[in-house]
Amino acid sequence: MLKQIKGLHHVTSMAANAQQNSDFFTKALGLRRVKKTVNFDDPEVYHLYYGDEVGTPGSVMTYFPFPHIARGRQGTGEVGETYFTVPEGSLGYWKERLSRHHVGGLGEDDVFGEKRLRFDGPDGDRFALIEVGNDDREGWTAGGIGSAEAIQGFHGASFRLQDAGGTAELLKFMNYSEVDRKDNWTRFGVEGGNGADFIDIETVPSGSRGRQGAGSVHHIAFAVEDRAAQLEVRKALLDTGYQVTPVIDRDYFWAIYFRTPGGILFEVATNEPGFDRDEDTAHLGEALKLPGRYEEFRTQIEQNLSPIID
């Protein structure tokens, strides 16, 4: 069992419009934009990161806004919904706030004994706010959101799969264990996690495959403390038969990637060095930061990117 894995690190999705994406996460949800950079493989596209004050692993939602990308089609073989935690008693506040911001798909329900408020992102991506009473993580307070309401980080995410068997075995190998089951849903929790601790698998045997596009999760990343732990995880995955990429420097963390039996792209990312490696905490996410290999092309890159107005 890979006890080095401590829950989620980040979730990366795709969007159609950078300004709309930034407004939704910073103004409607009140998260902090902690980094404004570019897709390391396509520098004509932003890579935007949102989270708590410092972008703590387990709090960070990231996006590639591809202009003119078609909307994705929800289906199996993908992450279905991303969950955030909020303090107990705050869902009424959030229902009113999201309604005021004209957020679609609002609905309340109770799953695995937890009250949650479900809603859609601008591109049809699915989210939920879940009331959790024992989460002591501090949310980012801005835009009229106080500590009694602020989003504290991820609670977890759901997978929608035709066959859950292989992915369930992989999660167990990755330090998760089954903690609950209801109908066609199975919940897994990580031992000794960082608060972003749960993966729910929805099994839909006859479901059609999803098609990636705006609103789709590109990959979901799991956290390890440092590069030494990451290398241990990589070796164990390779020894088990997974095809794993070499370690890739993403400036703010190191990453490895592999495809799961259910078709979802997993990443394992380090908690180091963090988002303050090239900006002080007070000014995170303000300036456009580029990987070193693109710095000489800054003028051209900036001309190709539509400005984001805060």
Side-chain angles (χ1 to χ4, degrees):
M1 184 180 291
L2 300 176
K3 292 188 176 292
Q4 302 91 335
I5 291 175
K6 301 301 180 182
L8 295 183
H9 186 283
H10 65 270
V11 178
T12 294
S13 296
M14 296 180 288
N17 183 282
Q19 183 69 61
Q20 182 185 54
N21 184 258
S22 184
D23 287 346
F24 177 77
F25 282 95
T26 62
K27 296 177 182 178
L29 295 187
L31 297 178
R32 187 181 193 189
R33 195 179 66 223
V34 294
K35 194 62 59 180
K36 180 169 64 173
T37 183
V38 294
N39 184 321
F40 282 23
D41 301 315
D42 184 356
E44 294 187 355
V45 174
Y46 281 115
H47 194 174
L48 305 175
Y49 294 75
Y50 311 98
D52 64 9
E53 181 181 11
V54 297
T56 305
S59 77
V60 182
M61 191 79 206
T62 99
Y63 273 84
F64 301 132
F66 289 96
H68 313 301
I69 188 175
R71 179 167 288 200
R73 183 185 65 214
Q74 296 180 358
T76 61
E78 63 178 6
V79 175
E81 201 166 37
T82 303
Y83 311 146
F84 297 96
T85 71
V86 293
E88 279 188 315
S90 65
L91 285 189
Y93 166 88
W94 280 106
K95 185 177 181 180
E96 188 278 330
R97 181 185 179 91
L98 295 181
S99 296
R100 182 161 29 93
H101 282 271
H102 308 292
V103 173
L106 285 171
E108 297 177 80
D109 61 11
D110 187 302
V111 175
F112 296 122
E114 298 170 335
K115 294 179 181 179
R116 68 179 184 178
L117 177 65
R118 306 175 75 188
F119 58 98
D120 294 341
D123 294 290
D125 22 3
R126 293 293 295 165
F127 300 100
L129 300 177
I130 296 178
E131 288 189 352
V132 176
N134 59 353
D135 191 338
D136 59 2
R137 294 176 292 173
E138 293 185 8
W140 174 245
T141 54
I145 301 174
S147 59
E149 300 88 27
I151 291 173
Q152 297 160 297
F154 291 132
H155 191 53
S158 68
F159 299 166
R160 190 183 303 112
L161 304 174
Q162 291 178 337
D163 182 351
T167 300
E169 289 305 310
L170 171 60
L171 287 173
K172 292 175 183 177
F173 184 59
M174 292 173 61
N175 200 26
Y176 285 78
S177 57
E178 183 177 327
V179 296
D180 208 345
R181 185 186 290 261
K182 183 178 181 181
D183 301 326
N184 62 327
W185 288 86
T186 307
R187 167 160 286 191
F188 295 86
V190 69
E191 181 181 348
N194 59 10
D197 295 343
F198 296 102
I199 298 293
D200 297 339
I201 296 183
E202 179 187 14
T203 306
V204 189
S206 59
S208 60
R209 297 282 294 184
R211 183 188 64 217
Q212 287 216 329
S216 301
V217 171
H218 184 273
H219 62 267
I220 186 167
F222 297 82
V224 293
E225 188 60 35
D226 51 32
R227 296 186 71 186
Q230 184 183 63
L231 289 174
E232 292 169 357
V233 169
R234 183 175 186 272
K235 182 179 185 303
L237 289 168
L238 287 169
D239 289 347
T240 309
Y242 286 94
Q243 301 295 313
V244 187
T245 67
V247 176
I248 301 172
D249 183 357
R250 297 303 194 194
D251 279 7
Y252 312 108
F253 48 86
W254 283 271
I256 58 175
Y257 302 86
F258 64 102
R259 188 72 62 177
T260 69
I264 298 170
L265 183 61
F266 275 15
E267 175 183 344
V268 178
T270 62
N271 290 346
E272 58 177 4
F275 293 101
D276 60 354
R277 67 174 296 274
D278 57 1
E279 290 181 295
D280 64 76
T281 300
H283 297 286
L284 288 178
E286 295 179 6
L288 178 66
K289 295 298 179 179
L290 298 178
R293 66 182 182 272
Y294 294 139
E295 193 59 53
E296 64 179 301
F297 306 109
R298 173 174 286 274
T299 300
Q300 179 183 345
I301 289 171
E302 289 179 337
Q303 289 175 345
N304 288 330
L305 293 170
S306 298
I308 297 174
I309 301 171
D310 295 326

